[in-house]
Amino acid sequence: MSKLEQSKLPAHVAIIMDGNGRWAKTRNLPRVEGHVQGLESVRNIVTITRELRIPYLTLYAFSKENWSRPRAEVKRLLELLGIFLENELPLMMDEDIRFRVVGDIKDFPKKLQHQLNAAMQKTAGNKTLSLNIALSYSGREEILNAVRLLLKDMDKGDITHIDEKVFQSYLYTRDIPDPDLLIRTSGEMRVSNFLLWQIAYTEIYVTDTLWPDFREDAYMEALREYMKRERRFGSVKENLSGRA
Ligand code: IPE
Ligand code: IPE
Ligand code: MG
C-alpha cells in the first residue's frame, strides 16, 4: 500500500462477525465448527489490522441477545473465548496489542471474567493496536447504563451539564474514537444493537462473505471501498477541508 493510500485508511474498524452458523451448515457441520473456523478469521484480521497500522479494531463477538441461543452453543462460544485469550495473550504482549472488553461481562463464568480482566490489565500499556471485543454487548444497554451513571453523578453534583462529549465519557467506549468503518459479513442489512451511539457517521460496508471466509482479500476489498467513499458529515464537499 502506498503512503497516500495509507493516509486514507480508517483509524477505527468495527466488525459484526456474522455467518459462522451458515458456514457450518453448508458443510453439514455443527454450528460450533463455524465458530472454531471464525476464530481463525479473528487471528487473521487482527494481524492484518496491526500490519496496516490501523490503531483501533472492535469486534462484535457476543451480543446480549446471543444469550438466548441454545445453552450448548453459548457454552462452547465462551470456552472458545477462554482458549483464544490463553493462546493470544503472549502474542498480544509481543505485538504491543491492547485488549479491551466492550460490554457487561458480569454474567460470564467467574474464571472467564478473571481471565478477561487479567488480559486487560496486562495489556493496558500496549499501544500499536487497541483490540476491543464486544461481549454480552447491547448498544441500548450501554446507553441506558450511561444514563444511570450520569444521573448518579448529577445527584452528587459532579456534573452540571450534559453534552455529547460528557455523555460519551459514560459509555463503555469512553476512550475509543467512533468507528470510521463498520463491516458486517454474511449479507444481513442490520446493525443488531451494535454501537448505536458511536456509528452516527460511520461508513457501512456489508459483504456476502461469511465470517469464517473473511480473510485478507475480503478485508482489503472492504478497505478499498471505504477509501473511495466521500464522507460529508452533513456538509457539502467544498466546506469539508480540515475535517479529519
Ligand atoms: C456469528 O455467527 C457469531 C456469533 C453471533 C457469536 P452466527 O452464529 O450468528 O452465524 P449465522 O448468522 O447463524 O450464520
Ligand atoms: C450479531 O449477529 C451479533 C454478533 C455478531 C456477535 P447475530 O447473528 O446475533 O445477529 P442477528 O440475530 O442476525 O440480528
Ligand atoms: Mg448470525
Side-chain angles (χ1 to χ4, degrees):
M1 208 171 257
S2 74
K3 273 240 157 68
L4 184 69
E5 277 190 306
Q6 191 90 33
S7 71
K8 287 202 244 161
L9 279 172
H12 183 179
V13 177
I15 308 182
I16 302 175
M17 310 184 289
D18 199 15
N20 294 353
R22 273 162 282 178
W23 184 93
K25 198 170 174 204
T26 56
R27 286 162 180 78
N28 273 321
L29 295 166
R31 292 179 56 85
V32 290
E33 282 309 313
H35 300 317
V36 171
Q37 203 56 36
L39 207 52
E40 290 303 312
S41 293
V42 172
R43 288 200 177 90
N44 233 267
I45 297 308
V46 170
T47 304
I48 297 166
T49 305
R50 183 182 167 279
E51 281 170 5
L52 290 171
R53 300 276 166 195
I54 293 172
Y56 296 90
L57 176 66
T58 302
L59 302 176
Y60 202 4
F62 191 78
S63 72
K64 197 128 222 168
E65 291 76 21
N66 288 149
W67 286 109
S68 67
R69 293 190 177 198
R71 261 180 84 145
E73 182 177 344
V74 170
K75 187 166 174 261
R76 189 70 187 123
L77 271 169
L78 300 187
E79 274 167 18
L80 283 173
L81 178 61
I83 294 168
F84 173 80
L85 278 175
E86 211 168 295
N87 292 339
E88 300 297 309
L89 191 53
L91 271 168
M92 288 190 225
M93 291 312 292
D94 284 350
E95 298 186 340
D96 199 35
I97 296 173
R98 178 175 182 186
F99 172 82
R100 279 187 271 192
V101 171
V102 174
D104 174 12
I105 55 170
K106 72 170 181 327
D107 293 328
F108 278 17
K110 283 279 167 315
K111 188 180 163 216
L112 188 55
Q113 286 187 40
H114 183 77
Q115 249 184 309
L116 289 163
N117 288 326
M120 280 195 273
Q121 268 167 28
K122 186 140 196 239
T123 63
N126 294 351
K127 298 222 151 47
T128 302
L129 170 67
S130 170
L131 171 63
N132 319 301
I133 310 282
L135 293 173
S136 199
Y137 176 86
S138 148
R140 286 188 171 179
E141 264 299 319
E142 178 182 36
I143 291 169
L144 274 181
N145 184 56
V147 171
R148 286 186 200 110
L149 295 171
L150 217 148
L151 286 176
K152 252 192 218 159
D153 281 355
M154 277 203 127
D155 256 3
K156 282 194 280 176
D158 290 351
I159 54 164
T160 48
H161 87 290
I162 306 170
D163 58 19
E164 286 190 15
K165 201 161 164 253
V166 170
F167 190 78
Q168 145 88 13
S169 73
Y170 285 86
L171 296 172
Y172 302 135
T173 55
R174 58 186 67 82
D175 50 357
I176 299 171
D178 291 343
D180 299 299
L181 170 64
L182 171 66
I183 299 171
R184 180 164 188 150
T185 59
S186 89
E188 238 67 79
M189 296 285 183
R190 53 177 172 260
V191 291
S192 301
N193 209 359
F194 191 41
L195 302 177
L196 297 181
W197 170 277
Q198 296 86 340
I199 60 173
Y201 267 104
T202 299
E203 295 296 322
I204 298 174
Y205 176 88
V206 177
T207 171
D208 285 334
T209 304
L210 306 174
W211 177 250
D213 292 327
F214 191 85
R215 302 289 163 96
E216 183 163 4
D217 288 353
Y219 192 24
M220 294 310 286
E221 200 178 313
L223 292 171
R224 286 193 195 288
E225 162 70 28
Y226 167 84
M227 292 192 282
K228 281 193 253 164
R229 302 267 180 98
E230 180 184 81
R231 302 183 74 187
R232 289 189 292 275
F233 301 97
S235 187
V236 292
K237 196 174 181 180
E238 293 68 31
N239 276 13
L240 280 173
S241 60
R243 171 109 203 197

